[in-house]
Amino acid sequence: MIGVIGFGRSGKAVAKLIEKLGETPFVSDLTHKPSEIPYPNETGKHTDKLLQMDLLVVSPGVSPNIPILLKAKEKKIPIIGEIEFASRYIKGKIIAITGTNGKTTTAALTHHILKGPLKERVLLGGNIYPGKPLSSLVEKTKEDSITVIEVSSYQLERIEKFHPWIATITNISPDHLDRHSSLEEYLKAKLNIFKNQRKEDYSILNKDDKILSSLKLSSKTLYFSLKGNADIYLNGSSIKDREGGEIFKEEDLFIKGEAFIEDGMIASLIASIIGVNKKEIRKRIKTFKGVPHRMETVVKRKDLWIINNSMCTNPIAFVKSLQSFPASCVIVGGRMKVKDINPIIFAIKNLAKFVVLIGESTPEMEKALKRAKFNNFSSASSMKEAIEKALNSNCEKIILSPGASSFDWFKDFAERGNIFKKEVKRLLCIK
């Protein structure tokens, strides 16, 4: 029997897949009521019933150090994640994208480019929001399918045979250190994306990243760079291939900034591996509008531009976002995932016009901003109040870019972003 731990988005999808494969899953979940789970289950706690399973499929958000998993490990019960389980039944080829920042935009842009020439042959899923868990895509795949998936470090912790044809790490910086004990542990999880690749597979790496550029992998490795001398690189405002041929321009992107240039370079390399020509790549990049909660335009008029960047949950993402949207009023804060907030403070001092602080990080941020002698800030006790203060700041550009997780005030970053958009439209009387 197969045990499923956690009945959230991925848990529900993998339970349904297990059922379609002819098995009956046993679900163990802490928050749902028994009546909400249409399978044999236990709720409220994880019991030794799980130790009777032949296999445990664990949701990404479940810590590997909970007691029942430590017991299962001692008993040598196989423990894998939803991505690993689903990948064993996926037909066709997998393109896997991970990294600290940019993985959602890169995955969505890759899918958008490939959708032009490949039509229904290309699918999008995994950790990406909005999107579908990999388990939900299994039935839709065929032998000629190409499935683009975003993969998190939590998902990569529990892989065994997961084998992407093309794999990339966009970049690496400290994140999720509340889960991973150190940057080294976090990097180790990310590097699992290349674990089962062979010489006929492809890896795409950031040549400007010292850690990633030094990797020696068994696959064919291609590099992207903002500095030149790579398989795809930035030259002025033009992005070129190794032969000097132009692939796209920065102005073709849905929003400017080095972070989005890198996303475009990775997606272009993937498309070129598959055989998409430069003209088609540029055409598709021009029509890409971004993804919800990632530099998403909510309002744009002559006197006011408002962006929802709720997906920004760490300092490095915050810095890159502000570089793309300088001289703005920034709504920032939440539950910090790292101890060092200096990159946020430095970016605010150099790039922000006004700041509205939200969430449990407010006291810490206030002290840090005062130390930095940046006094153009206020604080708010709700998203509604934060938007009101931002609208009264006389800034023509406003961005929600928290630089922190949402779990102090909200269920997740999507709820945070949706409430932001709803309140903006209500306050500005936009239907």
Side-chain angles (χ1 to χ4, degrees):
M1 197 169 184
I2 301 174
V4 175
I5 302 181
F7 201 61
R9 181 170 170 264
S10 67
K12 289 174 183 175
V14 79
K16 189 175 285 188
L17 174 58
I18 292 167
E19 183 182 33
K20 287 178 179 177
L21 292 171
E23 297 259 1
T24 300
F26 175 80
V27 177
S28 181
D29 184 82
L30 299 180
T31 58
H32 285 76
K33 297 175 183 177
S35 59
E36 295 173 326
I37 303 174
Y39 308 105
N41 67 79
E42 62 181 16
T43 60
K45 60 181 179 179
H46 304 306
T47 73
D48 285 355
K49 289 180 181 178
L50 291 167
L51 302 181
Q52 300 168 23
M53 302 294 125
D54 302 307
L55 172 68
L56 294 177
V57 183
V58 186
S59 295
V62 177
S63 168
N65 298 317
I66 63 171
I68 195 65
L69 288 181
L70 296 177
K71 285 184 183 179
K73 198 172 181 181
E74 284 180 12
K75 290 180 70 70
K76 300 192 184 316
I77 298 171
I79 302 169
I80 62 173
E82 180 264 339
I83 285 281
E84 171 67 28
F85 185 84
S87 70
R88 297 177 181 184
Y89 301 95
I90 284 279
K91 295 175 183 174
K93 293 179 177 179
I94 290 174
I95 297 171
I97 296 163
T98 194
T100 305
N101 300 305
K103 55 187 178 292
T104 294
T105 302
T106 303
L109 178 55
T110 299
H111 175 257
H112 181 78
I113 293 172
L114 298 183
K115 192 78 175 173
L118 300 184
K119 310 298 181 190
E120 302 307 315
R121 284 178 53 203
V122 61
L123 303 166
L124 176 66
N127 187 62
I128 193 168
Y129 178 93
K132 296 181 178 180
L134 192 58
S135 295
S136 300
L137 300 179
V138 169
E139 281 195 314
K140 297 179 181 180
T141 58
K142 299 175 182 178
E143 294 302 329
D144 64 347
S145 293
I146 293 178
T147 304
V148 181
I149 60 171
E150 177 192 318
V151 199
S152 72
S153 60
Y154 294 177
Q155 292 170 318
L156 288 167
E157 277 180 331
R158 297 188 174 106
I159 68 160
E160 290 181 358
K161 300 176 182 177
F162 175 67
H163 176 206
W165 171 46
I166 303 174
T168 182
I169 298 178
T170 58
N171 47 62
I172 289 289
S173 59
D175 197 12
H176 298 301
L177 298 187
D178 50 345
R179 165 80 166 251
H180 304 289
S181 60
S182 63
L183 177 60
E184 289 72 25
E185 195 71 24
Y186 172 62
L187 175 61
K188 183 180 176 182
K190 289 290 192 186
L191 290 177
N192 275 341
I193 199 168
F194 305 122
K195 180 179 177 181
N196 298 306
Q197 284 198 300
R198 300 186 288 264
K199 63 181 181 180
E200 62 268 26
D201 299 319
Y202 291 87
S203 54
I204 297 173
L205 298 175
N206 186 344
K207 193 169 185 181
D208 304 333
D209 186 301
K210 289 182 180 180
I211 296 173
L212 297 178
S213 62
S214 65
L215 295 176
K216 303 298 180 186
L217 303 173
S218 57
S219 52
K220 301 171 190 173
T221 304
L222 301 178
Y223 295 94
F224 64 95
S225 173
L226 295 170
K227 300 175 182 177
N229 192 25
D231 296 283
I232 188 169
Y233 62 95
L234 177 65
N235 186 327
S237 64
S238 181
I239 290 77
K240 297 185 176 183
D241 62 20
R242 194 172 281 283
E243 287 73 42
E246 184 176 84
I247 300 174
F248 67 93
K249 287 182 174 291
E250 184 179 10
E251 65 194 43
D252 298 329
L253 296 165
F254 74 104
I255 197 162
K256 291 184 177 182
E258 290 185 351
F260 303 100
I261 292 172
E262 289 179 338
D263 299 342
M265 288 195 287
I266 298 168
S268 297
L269 274 179
I270 293 170
S272 66
I273 290 169
I274 292 169
V276 184
N277 64 52
K278 296 172 193 174
K279 185 177 179 180
E280 179 71 10
I281 290 172
R282 186 174 185 185
K283 174 186 168 185
R284 298 296 293 177
I285 286 176
K286 284 182 174 181
T287 59
F288 181 67
K289 303 299 182 186
V291 297
H293 312 298
R294 180 66 172 128
M295 299 301 285
E296 175 190 14
T297 292
V298 182
V299 174
K300 190 172 185 181
R301 58 195 196 199
K302 285 185 178 180
D303 63 330
L304 186 63
W305 188 359
I306 301 179
I307 280 184
N308 164 33
N309 194 36
S310 183
M311 199 178 286
C312 168
T313 62
N314 63 66
I316 301 303
F318 178 88
V319 173
K320 291 185 176 182
S321 300
L322 218 54
Q323 287 170 344
S324 297
F325 206 66
S328 57
C329 172
V330 190
I331 300 174
V332 58
R335 179 167 294 168
M336 289 294 168
K337 296 193 286 184
V338 296
K339 292 180 180 179
D340 183 11
I341 63 168
N342 285 324
I344 291 178
I345 303 303
F346 185 79
I348 287 173
K349 187 172 181 180
N350 288 278
L351 296 167
K353 191 172 181 181
F354 191 81
V355 167
V356 181
L357 302 174
I358 61 171
E360 66 181 35
S361 62
T362 295
E364 180 186 9
M365 292 285 292
E366 285 179 338
K367 291 177 184 176
L369 287 172
K370 287 176 182 176
R371 284 197 300 269
K373 293 182 170 52
F374 183 92
N375 298 310
N376 293 337
F377 70 88
S378 182
S379 61
S381 58
S382 68
M383 186 62 78
K384 175 177 175 290
E385 184 185 1
I387 296 164
E388 288 173 338
K389 289 191 172 185
L391 290 170
N392 290 327
S393 69
N394 294 319
C395 294
E396 293 184 351
K397 297 193 293 184
I398 296 170
I399 182 171
L400 168 67
S401 197
S405 78
S406 56
F407 302 126
D408 51 347
W409 283 8
F410 307 98
K411 180 179 71 175
D412 53 28
F413 73 82
E415 182 183 63
R416 176 170 63 189
N418 286 331
I419 289 174
F420 173 75
K421 291 190 287 185
K422 181 180 177 181
E423 288 296 332
V424 164
K425 291 177 180 178
R426 189 182 67 78
L427 289 166
L428 294 176
C429 299
I430 298 171
K431 291 184 179 181

